Structure formats: C-alpha cells, structure tokens
Amino acid sequence: MIRYLIKNNLKIMFRSPVNILLYVLCPIVVTAVLVSAFSAMMESYEGAGQFTVGYRVEENSVFDAYMNEIVAAGRESGVTLAEYRDGEPEALIKEKKLACFVEFGSDTYTIYETQDTKTESGTLQYMLSAMVNGVISGDYTTVSFRTEQPFFIPAVDSTDYYGIIYIVYFGWCALVCAAGLFSSEKKHRIDERLRVSNLSVLQLYLSRFIPLVAVVSCGVGVAAVIGGVVLGVHWGNLALSALLVILSVMAATAMEMLLYELTNSMLASVIISFGIVWILGYIGGSFETYMFSTHSDRLKQLDPIYHENRALVELSTMGHSDYVASASLIMIGVFAVCSLLNLMVGRIRRSAQ
C-alpha cells in the first residue's frame, strides 16, 4: 500500500511541473545575477607584477644624482622606469600605456595614476619611499612584495560560492514542491480518509516524505549539474557534497512537513517556513557571504545553513572541511527531531478523530 501511495504522490507532484522547475531554474538565475554583481568584490588579491612607469626629473633636483641607482633598484623590484622629457603625464600614460608617471621635483615627487592602476600606484608609492630614502642615505635594498593566502581563509570566487550556497538555500524551500500534493489532498479530503485507514502514522508520513525528498533532490541536483557545466561551479568532493545536500533536503522537508502538520494550512506553512529559512540564510551566508559577515561567530554556529554552506564551500576550495561532521550531525538531528514530532502530532490528530 505504501508503495502505491509513494508512486501516486510522485504523479501528483509531477502534475505541477512549474513547482519542480523552480528548483532547477531559480538557483541558476540567482547565481548568474549575483556572480555578475559581486565577482569583483570576491576576487583574490593579486600582486601588480611587472609594470612600466614613466618619469621626468626637474633641473637641479636632489633626485638627479641618484636616478641611476633608483632606476636599477626599480628594475630589480619588477618596476621599469622610462624617462620622458616632454609631454603631459596623463597623455603619456595613455599613449605609452604606462602604469603611472612620476615627476621628480626639486625635493619632492608627484605620482600620476589612473582609475585602473591604483594597485600599481600603491606599490610604486611604497617602493619609491623605501628606495629614495635608502638611496639618498647610501644604503638601499631591493623592495619585494609577497602575497599569501592564510590557510584558514579559503580563497573562493563568486561563481563557486553562490553556485553552491543557493543550491542549499533553495533545497531548504522544499515545501513549495509539495504544494500540488497537499492541495490535492485537501481538495479531495484524502488526508482525512487516510487517517482512518489501516496505514500507520509512520507509513503515511513516509508516503509524503520520500517522494518529496526525491523530487527536490533531483531538482537541485539538475541545477547543480547545469551550474557546473554552464557557469563553471566547482563542487570539490562530489560524493560528499551530494550527501550533504541530500541530508539538508531531508532536514528541511521534515521541518516543513511538521509545520504543515501543526498548522494544517499550506499558506501558513509556506509563510512560516520562508521566514525561518530567510533568517537562517541571512545569518548563514546566503545573502552576505559568511567570510565578510559581521554576525557573531556564536550566532553563526547555531545556524544549520551556516554549517552546510561552510562545509560545501570548503570542500570546493580545499577538498576537505572540519564542518562536514557538524553539518551532517545537525541535519540528521533536525530530520530526526522534526520527524519524531511529526509522528507525535499525527498520532494526536488520529486519536482525536
């Protein structure tokens, strides 16, 4: 009997294909929009590398006697200084494709930059300060720059980040996929008939839970595949990532089915569910990346979506994550507690009839 119910519930859900397509299209569309908007913000810092700077020395400048040393020191540090006696600095930067231009005055220097060469300008300012002070004092050293990425802060670009966390976020909105099923049951009073049947409360619960988890998991799974192929999202450990996503769908489904069992209203369940998921997503990094989030660490540690997001993102960037265990245990805990409460409410309703 339970096989028939599962099969029948799957058919009912597939009669509302728009609800299922939401799990495929929404993560892709939202990810594409956010990647376009925040790609620059999440780019990893890269050094300026080698670049060319134009310069001009004023007559009777204190720097004139030391220019050979300054040019040599700049070359060793990856900065080529090319002299231009004539022309406006701004025009020379554009015409000669220079990163910056330096005018050495009588005892000061002025650096000209563009909007796109602020990194090079900052590097040049620091380097010139060190070189000029060293050269004039007679003891200069090559200035070098090294960029390091701390191991505890994984470097992740916007494509990978949003392509992963919105699969999780939409997976937590599982109740939408059950709208057609619950509406059909309500319309034909199927739920009332099933409660007085020989089926146990557990069988009735599983007849809804299993097809709902299957459909939502397939929907976000297809979205993840499309995201990987079209947008280039990297998932790292595919098997472990898939397991974590399925566990989160199971937890979300159990929680939202409990809300429906308590309220007996699809509208009320959706509103409450979306409110809970929005708050969890807000704290957990669905809107503001958890790396840049100002929420306290204690608050984030209480958020199941934060554990899920961090585990999946770190699996993508490092291939491993200390949050895999906590995310798995939390999702299993939410699933177990909500399922148990669902069965208890179901038994109370049955005994009340």
Side-chain angles (χ1 to χ4, degrees), residues 8 32 41 155 208:
N8 188 62
M41 182 188 72
R208 293 172 169 177

Side-chain angles (χ1 to χ4, degrees), residues 36-261:
S36 176
F38 297 113
S39 57
M41 182 188 72
M42 297 185 64
E43 285 179 354
S44 299
Y45 171 77
E46 295 181 1
Q50 296 185 349
F51 56 93
T52 301
V53 173
Y55 76 93
R56 177 180 302 142
V57 185
E58 187 179 295
E59 290 185 9
N60 302 321
S61 172
V62 297
F63 301 103
D64 190 41
Y66 303 100
M67 283 311 301
N68 290 335
E69 288 85 353
I70 293 175
V71 171
R75 188 181 302 112
E76 292 178 13
S77 299
V79 180
T80 301
L81 281 88
E83 185 177 11
Y84 295 92
R85 296 181 183 274
D86 301 314
E88 293 297 322
E90 295 87 349
L92 287 170
I93 289 174
K94 184 177 181 180
E95 180 184 345
K96 304 297 182 181
K97 297 183 179 179
L98 304 173
C100 309
F101 194 93
V102 186
E103 281 191 336
F104 291 97
S106 57
D107 57 0
T108 61
Y109 58 86
T110 303
I111 297 176
Y112 296 84
E113 65 179 25
T114 67
Q115 189 68 28
D116 298 328
T117 58
K118 291 187 178 295
T119 300
E120 289 82 352
S121 175
T123 301
L124 180 65
Q125 289 181 46
Y126 178 81
M127 185 188 66
L128 276 180
S129 176
M131 287 196 301
V132 168
N133 291 335
V135 169
I136 292 177
S137 67
D139 180 26
Y140 73 87
T141 56
T142 299
V143 181
S144 60
F145 301 89
R146 182 176 66 183
T147 303
E148 293 184 355
Q149 181 70 41
F151 73 94
F152 52 86
I153 304 180
V156 57
D157 61 23
S158 58
T159 301
D160 288 344
Y161 184 83
Y162 291 115
I164 290 171
I165 62 99
Y166 272 101
I167 293 295
V168 175
Y169 185 78
F170 281 98
W172 271 80
C173 301
L175 192 61
V176 173
C177 215
L181 173 62
F182 292 152
S183 297
S184 177
E185 288 182 349
K186 205 82 167 174
K187 180 179 180 180
H188 300 96
R189 304 183 69 178
I190 297 175
D191 54 339
E192 296 179 10
R193 297 175 187 177
L194 290 174
R195 284 197 181 98
V196 296
S197 66
N198 293 328
L199 291 171
S200 66
V201 175
L202 176 60
Q203 288 175 315
L204 292 176
Y205 174 71
L206 292 177
S207 68
R208 293 172 169 177
F209 179 83
I210 292 174
L212 185 53
V213 169
V215 171
V216 174
S217 297
C218 288
V220 295
V222 171
V225 172
I226 295 174
V229 174
V230 177
L231 300 178
V233 178
H234 302 94
W235 281 85
N237 189 322
L238 290 177
L240 196 52
S241 297
L243 177 61
L244 287 173
V245 171
I246 292 173
L247 286 176
S248 72
V249 171
M250 291 173 61
T253 301
M255 181 193 76
E256 290 165 352
M257 285 182 62
L258 173 62
L259 291 174
Y260 181 75
E261 194 69 34

Side-chain angles (χ1 to χ4, degrees), residues 200-206 258 261 336-350:
S200 66
V201 175
L202 176 60
Q203 288 175 315
L204 292 176
Y205 174 71
L206 292 177
L258 173 62
E261 194 69 34
V337 171
C338 290
S339 295
L340 181 61
L341 291 174
N342 208 314
L343 295 176
M344 290 175 61
V345 174
R347 288 193 178 96
I348 292 173
R349 284 187 179 278
R350 172 169 283 191

